Amino acid sequence: MAPTRAEPFNDSSALIDFVINQGNGVKGLSEMGLKALPRQYIQPLEERMCMINIKAQESIPIIDMSNPDDPEVAKSICEAASKWGFFQIVNHDVPIEILENVKDATYKFFGLSAKVKNKYSKEHSSSNNVRFGTSFTPQAEKALEWKDYLSLFYVSEEEASALWPLACREQVLDYMRKSEVVIKQLLKMLMKGLNVNEIDETKESLLMGSMRTNLNYYPKCPNPELTVGVGRHSDVSTLTILLQDEIGGLFVRENNGDNWIHVPPIKGSLVINVGDALQIMSNGKYKSVEHRVVANGYNNRISVPIFVNPRPSDMIGPLPELIKDGEKPIYKQVLYSDYVKHFFRKGHDGKKTIEFAEL
């Protein structure tokens, strides 16, 4: 039998107007108490969770960072980046209070009225660096995703103070500042694993020259089995540092397999994943892996990723240190901003973005 659908939004233009133009987002839909999912959110059968194999007994590595100078820690991180593309870190240098504050600030921002949040939408924001939105790329997607977000691209403290929403500004800046120590520790270990022993200013800028933080809000959903919070994709970053709440719902594809593994929430932990930029720069040694987020019928969920990226103007390709001894490059040099534009030009489609850089 066909699933029942929400009557008020059989007309797509009415849904787009309510969700996007008026700034209500999927949070607004959720709060209407809809009994059925609007058809615009119904994913093709092959994208639904009921169609995937979940490996319940598997887990991504959990790595204790209490002694980051221990060679075993570096070894574990490089192995996890090569085999899994994902790992969790505990006992790191970001204070738990900072993590709790940014989670509270995320709820505070999404608790604002649609009218206030809409000031930061694509149509109304005073800067491309501050963006409130919904789904992923609504104009390019066959089916919408059940997520709202605020995206904050960091340029300077001055710009953040002037343009970022007051509800979350200081908390996000604190989270980014404190995370920088951990990001540098991780990149140092990952570079050493590639026999790149010196991270000079140029290399540091290439690896982490720009940062974007997203506040993600996944409201509870009618018929969650028919849609997704986020569809299958890999990130375009160097690294992503993810703070998730206690609800859970992030799944990672087992490398080179068809099984999916849940990433269980661990209080105080951060989830780290390799992005496409690092896969390209490592010439495929480190793996950027597909992941997805399920919708939830019972709870609202939040997450706060920091995307650590090259600068938009950087050319990315296999690091010279890796190919100087005759190793064959498997990726070409690409302008990072072109790579990112390619990612955002289409709906989520697994690992297809990286084909843009393949030789």
Side-chain angles (χ1 to χ4, degrees):
M1 195 175 84
T4 54
R5 293 169 180 169
E7 291 306 319
F9 294 114
N10 276 341
D11 174 7
S12 278
S13 60
L15 180 111
I16 295 298
D17 187 54
F18 179 81
V19 172
I20 297 177
N21 302 342
Q22 294 176 35
N24 289 290
V26 283
K27 182 173 185 282
L29 289 179
S30 177
E31 289 171 352
M32 289 174 76
L34 297 176
K35 293 287 180 274
L37 188 72
R39 62 179 171 79
Q40 295 86 347
Y41 289 90
I42 295 177
Q43 293 286 328
L45 194 59
E46 64 274 12
E47 297 301 335
R48 297 183 207 167
M49 285 303 285
C50 62
M51 298 303 289
I52 71 168
N53 303 318
I54 295 171
K55 220 169 176 183
Q57 69 279 17
E58 277 284 16
S59 171
I60 63 168
I62 297 163
I63 299 170
D64 188 331
M65 291 276 288
S66 50
N67 184 5
D69 296 326
D70 179 350
E72 285 303 310
V73 173
K75 186 179 170 206
S76 298
I77 281 167
C78 294
E79 280 178 2
S82 303
K83 184 188 172 190
W84 294 90
F86 262 83
F87 52 95
Q88 296 207 60
I89 56 171
V90 294
N91 300 320
H92 48 74
D93 283 338
V94 187
I96 195 144
E97 180 190 2
I98 297 286
L99 302 180
E100 291 304 314
N101 287 348
V102 81
K103 284 196 280 191
D104 291 345
T106 301
Y107 274 113
K108 193 172 175 190
F109 174 78
F110 286 101
L112 297 171
S113 69
K115 189 178 175 185
V116 172
K117 286 183 294 199
N118 209 23
K119 288 179 185 169
Y120 302 102
S121 68
K122 186 177 181 178
E123 285 67 33
H124 302 114
S125 181
S126 56
S127 166
N128 278 338
N129 297 332
V130 181
R131 176 70 46 81
F132 166 65
T134 191
S135 193
F136 175 61
T137 309
Q139 67 278 13
E141 291 167 302
K142 293 187 181 78
L144 298 172
E145 300 177 351
W146 195 260
K147 179 188 88 167
D148 297 331
Y149 65 87
L150 175 70
S151 184
L152 301 166
F153 183 82
Y154 180 82
V155 172
S156 66
E157 297 266 337
E158 295 73 34
E159 183 179 286
S161 296
L163 299 179
W164 290 12
L166 186 59
C168 57
R169 178 194 306 152
E170 289 309 319
Q171 296 85 345
V172 173
L173 284 171
D174 279 348
Y175 173 47
M176 290 178 79
R177 284 184 205 112
K178 290 288 192 283
S179 296
E180 200 167 315
V181 177
V182 176
I183 292 162
K184 286 181 175 175
Q185 287 171 340
L186 292 170
L187 287 173
K188 187 177 176 187
M189 294 177 205
L190 289 164
M191 287 300 105
K192 278 199 167 160
L194 299 173
N195 294 318
V196 178
N197 296 316
E198 185 65 43
I199 301 183
D200 59 16
E201 219 172 286
T202 308
K203 185 81 84 265
E204 184 176 290
S205 177
L206 181 66
L207 293 166
M208 55 178 291
S210 73
M211 287 194 205
R212 178 186 297 279
T213 301
N214 277 16
L215 310 186
N216 294 329
Y217 188 87
Y218 304 91
K220 63 183 180 185
C221 175
N223 312 115
E225 71 286 355
L226 298 180
T227 191
V228 294
V230 178
R232 298 178 300 111
H233 71 288
S234 60
D235 294 345
V236 293
S237 56
T238 303
L239 286 180
T240 303
I241 317 297
L242 176 79
L243 169 64
Q244 60 171 346
D245 67 10
E246 70 287 351
I247 302 299
L250 171 65
F251 285 80
V252 172
R253 190 194 278 276
E254 190 179 33
N255 201 13
N256 299 324
D258 284 328
N259 296 313
W260 291 79
I261 297 153
H262 186 235
V263 179
I266 299 170
K267 193 169 176 62
S269 78
L270 291 167
V271 180
I272 312 296
N273 65 279
V274 172
D276 289 357
L278 185 55
Q279 178 170 325
I280 291 165
M281 287 191 264
S282 71
N283 206 31
K285 301 280 191 312
Y286 298 138
K287 305 290 190 295
S288 167
V289 171
E290 266 183 81
H291 49 287
R292 68 204 304 169
V293 175
V294 298
N296 188 307
Y298 302 99
N299 296 289
N300 302 320
R301 176 182 182 264
I302 57 166
S303 69
V304 189
I306 299 174
F307 300 102
V308 180
N309 308 312
R311 291 171 306 183
S313 58
D314 283 328
M315 294 297 292
I316 62 166
L319 294 170
E321 294 91 336
L322 299 182
I323 52 175
K324 71 176 193 314
D325 294 327
E327 183 181 317
K328 201 172 181 325
I330 53 177
Y331 301 106
K332 60 190 175 190
Q333 296 281 330
V334 293
L335 182 66
Y336 186 61
S337 60
D338 286 347
Y339 191 83
V340 173
K341 279 178 198 153
H342 178 65
F343 177 64
F344 281 105
R345 208 174 278 139
K346 55 195 174 53
H348 282 138
D349 56 4
K351 281 283 294 174
K352 286 189 179 168
T353 309
I354 204 138
E355 293 169 7
F356 184 80
E358 286 174 354
L359 280 169

